[in-house]
Amino acid sequence: MAEPGKDTLERLGLALVGAVALTAERLEELAGELSERGGMSRDEARQLLEDALTRWRGDATRLGERASESLAGMLRQIGVVTREELDELELRVAQLEHRLRLVERPHAVPSPPQ
């Protein structure tokens, strides 16, 4: 296999950016173009694109998770509560109100026997 040149690598990089929205058919077309221009077989080009796409999706997922964690930390620092925390507090208040009603309810005094 011939070493791809800098121009081919740049094209591959640009192709990978757009690879997220690729259909299987378009992936095949792009693999054909890369194999013609890059001095590699069609299967090698396809595998290279599929591997890059898999890595990119993994990176995007991890980036999203980190951004979410960062945002959650920032919101916690400024005192914003999460929906989960609010729901938990609402449940605890409802339980306390129920217990209070049980305590405040007048106890039924049994009537004297006749």
Side-chain angles (χ1 to χ4, degrees):
M1 175 174 102
E3 285 291 320
K6 182 179 178 185
D7 188 54
T8 302
L9 290 176
E10 288 175 357
R11 287 184 187 156
L12 178 60
L14 291 173
L16 292 176
V17 170
V20 176
L22 287 180
T23 63
E25 182 179 313
R26 181 65 183 124
L27 186 64
E28 284 297 321
E29 291 174 15
L30 188 55
E33 291 174 22
L34 285 173
S35 68
E36 290 171 10
R37 297 180 186 172
M40 63 180 79
S41 75
R42 186 180 195 93
D43 288 339
E44 289 172 325
R46 183 183 324 109
Q47 188 61 48
L48 183 64
L49 287 170
E50 288 175 357
D51 291 347
L53 184 58
T54 300
R55 279 192 309 273
W56 187 88
R57 285 182 178 150
D59 291 346
T61 300
R62 284 188 294 280
L63 180 62
E65 290 169 354
R66 277 188 257 147
S68 178
E69 290 170 4
S70 177
L71 179 60
M74 184 179 66
L75 291 174
R76 186 170 312 286
Q77 284 180 345
I78 62 173
V80 176
V81 298
T82 64
R83 169 51 79 183
E84 184 178 309
E85 292 169 329
L86 181 60
D87 290 345
E88 183 180 324
L89 285 174
E90 287 176 342
L91 176 62
R92 290 176 65 193
V93 167
Q95 289 172 337
L96 289 171
E97 287 174 339
H98 175 72
R99 290 177 185 165
L100 186 58
R101 279 191 299 274
L102 290 175
V103 169
E104 290 178 342
R105 183 184 308 162
H107 296 291
V109 178
S111 55
Q114 289 185 352

